[in-house]
Amino acid sequence: MTGPDGTEVNMGGTSQVAFFARVDDVLTWPAPANTPEANPYVNTTPFVMKQGKRFQKLYITQDTGDLDFGSNGEQDGKSFKPTLKLFYPGLDDDALQFTNDVKNDKLVFLVELPDGKMIQLGTSRFFMTVAPNFKTGVTSGRGRGTEFEIMGFLPYIYRYAAAVPLTPAV
Amino acid sequence: MAKDAQSAKGTAGPSSRTYKINGLKLSDIMPISFDGRVFDLANLSDEDLTYLLKFPDEVPYLQP
């Protein structure tokens, strides 16, 4: 770990797009490359979805995407408690359905960072949950929309380096 | 919520496609996201096809 060489993109925040899927729609989970030199925390084989299922896109209002991998636990018991916060504007019918359907569901998220790299939130054994908070705000405020807080517990930070299937599986 | 963007448009429609697509439901537009871009597997340009074929593990849907 020698520090930046001037070519990295370390811009804060997230990109304006994240991807999500229901845990129950996943057939097989991604894995790192099966070679001795592979980084065990970089998944290079993609999610395989159940028939007819796919990942969905989630728009994020600019400068509201915030991913925090908080440290969790005490000495000899450390893990991570990731929290993804974002704002989705308005309350169109898709947002209404998503907000209602997701509140008690188990999901996996792929969070795209500004340089295009993706962080995987959720595994086959540790799921993410979503706390939606729809607000109108006041008239002079930012406008109505939903603040989403996606959270869970993970033993590791995983990067996802494979394709995101936005097309349904056969 | 899901307004998918397309990658650089190619000319490979179903009848003229020079590659096969596995594992995904065939349709006129077949998006995937990879390496910071959205690709339309149903209509890949030669350049995009060549690029994605370099990653058979990460993008296992294509067969030349």
Side-chain angles (χ1 to χ4, degrees):
Chain A
M1 290 171 55
T2 56
D5 63 8
T7 64
E8 298 87 357
V9 173
N10 292 324
M11 176 176 165
T14 70
S15 81
Q16 289 191 249
V17 174
F19 305 98
F20 68 91
R22 298 179 65 246
V23 166
D24 290 344
D25 290 346
V26 178
L27 181 65
T28 64
W29 291 77
N34 191 18
T35 58
E37 63 274 12
N39 188 321
Y41 309 114
V42 179
N43 290 327
T44 55
T45 59
F47 283 90
V48 177
M49 307 302 288
K50 292 179 180 175
Q51 186 178 18
K53 303 300 182 184
R54 65 180 179 92
F55 267 76
Q56 307 269 355
K57 269 178 151 181
L58 175 60
Y59 171 82
I60 302 171
T61 292
Q62 191 176 57
D63 202 23
T64 67
D66 182 355
L67 176 60
D68 186 342
F69 260 88
S71 181
N72 181 64
E74 302 296 328
Q75 190 163 0
D76 296 334
K78 289 286 188 182
S79 61
F80 298 99
K81 186 179 179 182
T83 302
L84 170 65
K85 295 181 182 178
L86 59 97
F87 181 80
Y88 184 85
L91 191 66
D92 58 26
D93 287 350
D94 280 350
L96 178 67
Q97 177 143 17
F98 176 76
T99 299
N100 284 313
D101 288 349
V102 84
K103 63 184 186 298
N104 289 315
D105 207 345
K106 309 177 296 293
L107 290 100
V108 55
F109 280 80
L110 298 172
V111 184
E112 188 178 72
L113 303 180
D115 63 353
K117 290 185 174 148
M118 288 198 195
I119 301 297
Q120 180 180 325
L121 300 183
T123 70
S124 59
R125 296 183 298 120
F126 296 97
F127 317 129
M128 305 303 287
T129 58
V130 180
N133 186 8
F134 171 71
K135 296 180 182 177
T136 63
V138 296
T139 301
S140 60
R142 72 166 308 156
R144 71 184 181 205
T146 305
E147 294 174 344
F148 287 102
E149 192 164 296
I150 294 111
M151 65 198 85
F153 292 91
L154 291 173
Y156 306 109
I157 300 175
Y158 291 104
R159 183 159 75 83
Y160 183 76
V164 182
L166 302 175
T167 299
V170 292
Chain B
M1 238 187 215
K3 296 183 176 65
D4 293 339
Q6 297 185 36
S7 68
K9 291 195 169 109
T11 57
S15 59
S16 60
R17 199 179 290 143
T18 58
Y19 54 94
K20 293 182 183 175
I21 302 173
N22 303 316
L24 300 175
K25 183 178 177 184
L26 295 178
S27 79
D28 292 341
I29 299 174
M30 300 176 63
I32 63 160
S33 178
F34 177 68
D35 199 20
R37 291 177 55 193
V38 176
F39 295 89
D40 177 6
L41 297 186
N43 297 285
L44 289 174
S45 65
D46 291 342
E47 182 182 355
D48 284 348
L49 174 64
T50 301
Y51 173 71
L52 292 178
L53 285 173
K54 293 179 184 175
F55 303 95
D57 292 334
E58 295 88 340
V59 188
Y61 314 112
L62 302 173
Q63 190 177 345

